[in-house]
Each structure stands twice: as C-alpha cells, then as structure tokens.
Amino acid sequence: AFLSAAPPSVRVLVIRITEVVMAVADSPLACRCLAEFIGTFLPLFTVGFNVLVGNAVLGGISLATVQIVMTYSLAGVSGANFNPAVSAALYFSKRMGGPGIDGLTFAIYAAVQLLAGICCGFCFVNIFWDSFRLGPGAGFSWMDACWTEFLYSLFLCFVVLNTTAARKHAVEGNQFYGLAIGSISLAGYYAAGPVSGGLLNPATTIGIDIAGGGHGFGKSLILAFFQMLGGIGAAWLFRTARPEDFDELRTPRTRLFCEFIGTFALVLTVGMAVLAKTPMAVIAIAGSLTAMVYALGDVSGAHFNPAVTLAILVSGQDQELVPKRAAFYTVTQILSGILAALTYCIIHQGRAFPVGPGEGYSLQAALFGEMFFTTILAFVVLCTAVLRTKSTQLFGFAIGLCIVVGGTAAGKVSGGCLNPAVSVGIATTWGGWSSVKNALRYSFFEVVGGLAAGGLIKLTHATEVVSSGETKQLFGGA
C-alpha cells in the first residue's frame, strides 16, 4: 500500500535497495559472516552465563564444548575462526606465502567477530543486570595477565593453523580439528583463567569491556593487543613448524622445534594449573597434550616426553627414530621443560612447587605410580599413534585421556608427572637437593616405564592385522 501511493522515483529506489539487500543476504560472503557472528556470539554467551552464575569449576568444560560443536557445525561455511586473533594468524600466514585468508576477508571477519562480541556482551548484561571486570586475578599484575593471554592465544592460534590450515590436512582432511581446538581452549581456561581470565579472544575481551562500561572501559584494549600479538606469533611458529607449506625445505631442526613447542605448552600448563589450585588441573593438562599431539603429530611424532621417545625407539616401529635423533629429542624436551617451568614461575610471582610424594605416601609408592602410569601412557602412544593399526582420528584423544587416568589416580601419591621433562622442569624452579633427587628418581622410573611399554608392545602386537585382512608377523613369536 505504501509503495503504490509513493512517487515512482521512491518506488524504484525501494525496489533497488531491496534487491541489493537480498543479493547481499544470498551471497557466500554473507553466509560466512553470519556463521562467524554465531560462532563468536555463542562461546561468549556461555562465558557470560558461567561467570555471572558462579560456575567456575565446570565453566571451562562448558566453553570448550560449545567451541567444539560450533567449530564442527560452521567450519564448512566460514572456516570457523570465531576470533580476530585466529583470523590475524591466518592472514599473516597468507602474507608469508602459506595457507590462510586474504586481507579483505580478515578485515571483514574481524569486524563481524567484534560486533558479535559487543552484541553478546549487552545481551547477558541485560539478562542479569550485571557484568564483570576484566583484569589480572588476585595477586597478579597486568604484565602477568598480558603475557599469559599472549602465550595461550599463541597456543590456540597455533593449534588452529596446524589442524585446519596446514596443506596436509587441507588435502587429506581430518575429523579431529574441532576436538583439538576445544582441548587447547580447555587448557587456557583452567591454566590461564586465574591469572588473566583466559579469554584468548579480542572479540570476547572487548565485548565484555564495552558491555560492562560502568566498571571503566578501556582495559580490554591492553589484553586484546597481546591476544592479537599471540595470533601473529602463531603464524611465525606455524611457518617454522611446517616450512613445506611455505615452499621451503624441512630440516632436521624442524622436528626438534616442534618437540620444543609441544613440550613447552605441556609443562607450562602443568605448572600454571597446579599453582592455580584448580580441581580441574588434570583436565587442563590433558587438554594441552591432546591439542599439541593433534597439531604436531604428523611433523615430529609429538612425543613431548623422553619416556615416550625411548618407548618408540625400543619398539622399532618408527624407522626414522634412530638413537641419535632420540637423543636430540630427549635433550630438547628436557630443555623445553626447564624453560616452561621458569616461565610459569615468573608469571606466578616466583611461586613454585616441589617434586615428591604426596603427604602420607611413601617414596616407593610414588615411584611405582610414576612407572606404572608412564607405562600406560607410552603404551597407548605406541598403539594409537605409531603402529600400523593406529587410530587416524582419535589418537590424540586417547593419549590425552592417559593424563586423566594417571593424573587422577596417582596425583595425590606422586603428583602424576609421568614425564621426565615435567619432573626435571618442576624441580629446576623449586630448587633444593631433595626436589632434584626426587626428580632424578622419578625420571629413572618413568624411563623404565617407557622401556616396559616398548617391550610390552612386542608381546601384545606380535602380529598385526593389515588392510588386506591377512595377519603379518611384526616381531617374531610372542
């Protein structure tokens, strides 16, 4: 009725505008932007509810789960960035000659993600008539918070790049990318959360800050800067870990670099989660290991543990793992563990914790627990990630669950290190000969556990079913 009464020029203008709006709405770009909006909105909405209702313990599980389901739901539409830092990582990867997104896509995605964060912030503020502050946790400085956000944003973006953008996965595909991304988010929530909030997303950070403007706007920009810096750093690490994706040659140092990064993320998360005294420390540690195994398993084997390296060497199932390489792996893992321990010690204002049996338990019980559960860990690595009957999709999940098993069962007895790099790193920051002696004892029994796993695999897998359905002898008679 309005159009029929309007002048012809107005009718034409309205029709043209409608056509443009419909064309934009039907375009692939609009679909991708909507996917990014939804995928950014829902995790922040989950964060807001968990924080404002005081659900601190299970909040990380809730956040990681929504990220997993949204990633699997929308990755086929937009790539499931949901984070300006991730989009920045993909853009800078592209700029360096690797896989990624162009500048226009980065700008559009980042704008949509920020809009989603702001809209979501106002939504839960109007639901609860409340908001929450951004900033360092009690006892921590802004510098502590900023570097924590940088490190875990870097880990998050690094995992995204390696599981979704790497050319190998782009060609062959995988079904574990969402699980890997959710796992590293889990680690960030519980390990980084007590220090910085563990947001790891500029859209979330800025959205919360604007919505809670009554508490003083502007602090989000500091954290967002370090989160974006983490994304840029992840692009550089990605290039170093996968030089072939940038038309460069892979060198023996590439494997060592990957072992260093994966071990660093694991040991840092161990220290951060333990010092945070979160009841979900085991879940955070398992999440970091799962994510890094998925990210780097096809590059270095993702051992991140001298006992695992020795188990694989003894089994003889990785023809490329010769004794010399195993020695280099071990040294790299130990050095990375020490550096990671120093890092969490600095972030936590010099606080650390010792290596040794729990209160009320003997050293013998602790050593046996370390040996037994390290054997299980190394055995599962061999079965799910090394042998020809390995699991092509769930290997990282199985390996991460070993940390849940060992950490939960042996945590109060021995601390559940299950890794000489963890034991030595922790002892380095605590100091004192008693802790160092315990670390050396732990390491010895963990190595024995690795040897046991390498020998056990020769009994359980004396024969192995190959793709034809026939049975092939692997090690001789059992």
Side-chain angles (χ1 to χ4, degrees):
F2 167 77
L3 285 179
S4 61
S9 59
V10 174
R11 290 201 302 269
V12 171
L13 179 61
V14 171
I15 292 172
R16 291 287 182 265
I17 293 175
T18 303
E19 290 174 347
V20 170
V21 170
M22 293 300 294
V24 171
D26 291 337
S27 70
L29 179 60
C31 295
R32 284 153 49 194
C33 289
L34 180 59
E36 285 296 310
F37 186 95
I38 294 171
T40 307
F41 185 97
L42 289 178
L44 174 53
F45 201 65
T46 303
V47 169
F49 266 69
N50 280 312
V51 172
L52 292 174
V53 302
N55 187 17
V57 175
L58 294 178
I61 301 289
S62 175
L63 173 61
T65 302
V66 74
Q67 287 191 315
I68 291 171
V69 298
M70 285 296 101
T71 297
Y72 282 127
S73 298
L74 298 172
V77 180
S78 67
N81 295 9
F82 308 154
N83 185 332
V86 170
S87 297
L90 288 163
Y91 167 67
F92 279 97
S93 172
K94 184 82 168 179
R95 282 290 302 270
M96 290 187 288
I101 59 177
D102 58 43
L104 179 60
T105 302
F106 165 50
I108 294 173
Y109 273 20
V112 170
Q113 292 154 358
L114 288 171
L115 177 62
I118 294 169
C119 290
C120 185
F122 280 114
C123 280
F124 67 70
V125 165
N126 280 280
I127 291 172
F128 290 98
W129 290 100
D130 194 9
S131 63
F132 48 95
R133 295 176 182 270
L134 291 174
F140 296 99
S141 68
W142 272 98
M143 187 55 67
D144 299 329
C146 288
W147 283 115
T148 301
E149 288 291 313
F150 166 78
L151 286 169
Y152 279 92
S153 294
L154 183 147
F155 295 153
L156 170 62
C157 295
F158 184 69
V159 169
V160 172
L161 288 169
N162 279 278
T163 57
T164 64
R167 288 179 182 173
K168 180 181 186 297
H169 297 308
V171 173
E172 300 176 6
N174 71 68
Q175 295 301 314
F176 54 70
Y177 60 94
L179 182 58
I181 294 168
S183 295
I184 196 63
S185 298
L186 199 63
Y189 183 93
Y190 291 115
V195 179
S196 64
L199 300 175
L200 317 183
N201 186 332
T204 299
T205 304
I206 293 174
I208 291 172
D209 202 13
I210 291 178
H215 294 307
F217 171 73
K219 296 176 181 178
S220 63
L221 300 180
I222 302 172
L223 293 177
F225 172 78
F226 278 87
Q227 291 161 350
M228 292 297 286
L229 200 62
I232 297 170
W236 179 81
L237 293 184
F238 178 56
R239 179 179 180 177
T240 307
R242 296 181 183 270
E244 66 276 11
D245 283 17
F246 295 81
D247 299 323
E248 299 172 359
L249 293 177
R250 180 186 291 188
T251 69
R253 293 180 181 178
T254 302
R255 290 172 177 262
L256 298 180
F257 175 81
C258 292
E259 286 297 307
F260 188 94
I261 293 299
T263 308
F264 183 90
L266 172 62
V267 178
L268 180 67
T269 302
V270 170
M272 297 284 283
V274 171
L275 288 173
K277 298 181 179 179
T278 170
M280 305 297 281
V282 169
I283 301 299
I285 298 164
S288 69
L289 180 59
T290 297
M292 286 298 165
V293 166
Y294 277 134
L296 298 171
D298 63 313
V299 182
S300 69
H303 302 182
F304 312 146
N305 185 334
V308 168
T309 297
L310 186 59
I312 296 173
L313 178 66
V314 170
S315 75
Q317 283 303 289
D318 185 348
Q319 302 303 318
E320 295 183 347
L321 187 66
V322 297
K324 181 179 179 181
R325 175 170 287 174
F328 277 115
Y329 267 34
T330 299
V331 172
T332 300
Q333 293 155 357
I334 294 294
L335 291 176
S336 179
I338 292 172
L339 181 61
L342 292 172
T343 302
Y344 73 65
C345 186
I346 291 171
I347 290 174
H348 276 264
Q349 313 275 323
R351 289 186 292 138
F353 52 96
V355 176
E359 185 177 355
Y361 297 96
S362 67
L363 178 61
Q364 289 77 11
L367 294 176
F368 181 81
E370 288 295 312
M371 180 182 69
F372 182 80
F373 288 105
T374 302
T375 302
I376 293 177
L377 171 62
F379 181 76
V380 170
V381 170
L382 285 165
C383 293
T384 61
V386 179
L387 297 178
R388 281 185 286 272
T389 53
K390 64 187 177 183
S391 170
T392 59
Q393 303 297 325
L394 293 178
F395 60 96
F397 184 60
I399 293 168
L401 286 179
C402 291
I403 300 300
V404 177
V405 173
T408 303
K412 291 185 177 181
V413 180
S414 66
C417 297
L418 317 184
N419 184 337
V422 173
S423 301
V424 173
I426 292 172
T428 300
T429 56
W430 179 257
W433 178 236
S434 175
S435 184
V436 172
K437 281 195 302 184
N438 284 337
L440 294 176
R441 290 165 177 160
Y442 273 35
S443 297
F444 175 78
F445 278 85
E446 289 157 356
V447 165
V448 171
L451 288 171
L456 183 61
I457 206 74
K458 295 186 177 184
L459 299 176
T460 60
H461 290 69
T463 57
E464 188 171 359
V465 178
V466 296
S467 59
S468 64
E470 300 175 353
T471 301
K472 182 178 179 180
Q473 199 78 10
L474 288 183
F475 305 105

